Amino acid sequence: MDYENIYIEEENHIAIVTINRPKKLNALNKRTIAELHTAFRELDEDRETKVIIVTGSGEKAFVAGADISEFADFSVEQGWQLAAEGQKLLFDFVENLSTPVIAAVNGFALGGGLELALSCHFRIASDNAKMGLPEVSLGVIPGYGGTQRLPQLIGKGRAMEVIMTAGMLDAKKALEYGLVNHVVKQEELLPLCLKIASRISNNSSVAIKYAINAVNAGFKYDVNGYAAEIDAFGSCFGTDDFKEGTTAFLEKRKADFPGS
Ligand code: COA
């Protein structure tokens, strides 16, 4: 697929996916969602890619939401379809990806933009970032998982207030709420993400895949997280990474994980 609205840079096993519609504050239209789906799928399939960072182009916005111009005249059925397809292609897809995904929130993360950041495995923000779910100010609700993932991260009462007021949290408040893990100056955002990604990339990608799966299991209504953890833990013992990790420890050397 040729990308029009995103670009990808990769170095040292870390891919940076940049959403690039700066004139529309990187709003997620249908094509951008399809491009992101393809990019995440291909990067996840590429065993050389150990960590993915997703960010927005420019200094103003991560993503200012779903592209409002695309759905302003939708019917009930089309609205349902929009949410269902988007969740499947992008938001659930990213959350359940085997490769760790870090959101580098470099400005406005509103509506679908915050929902994308919420789908990532964790978030780091620049100090100019502003986050919110303004959907009720448009007469709609968050439809890309925001009503589920925001309460999981910051608690039900806080999420209710954010959603009902349609207000924006600044980076400081987002940090206080645990919505983001770190806040740094804009020029330090990608360097910090790369530093953390580099630490992640030294570890077993297979074990990380199982860990993502086990953590996510606890947030699924039809899965027993503890049972999922036992299964994932057991599976690790059949991997080459486990053999290498334990052997390297006993031989007092740094592990060189084969990733299988
Ligand atoms: N969908 C489509 N276009 C969007 C957009 C979105 N979610 N967010 C921003 N844009 C477009 C604007 O229409 C404008 O386009 P134009 O220059 O062709 O008129 C351009 O991006 C720049 O945005 P603008 O509103 O002029 O910037 P601003 O600095 O005055 O305001 C925001 C920034 C983020 C506060 C404002 O753009 C905004 O409220 N956006 C919508 C946020 C939202 O409700 N998202 C949830 C969608 S469900």
Side-chain angles (χ1 to χ4, degrees), residues 34-47:
E35 290 184 13
L36 285 169
H37 171 80
T38 305
F40 282 118
R41 182 167 44 71
E42 290 183 355
L43 290 169
D44 194 46
E45 284 165 5
D46 176 6
R47 283 184 40 193

Side-chain angles (χ1 to χ4, degrees), residues 133-144:
L133 293 174
E135 284 86 347
V136 299
S137 71
L138 298 165
V140 68
I141 69 165
Y144 287 149

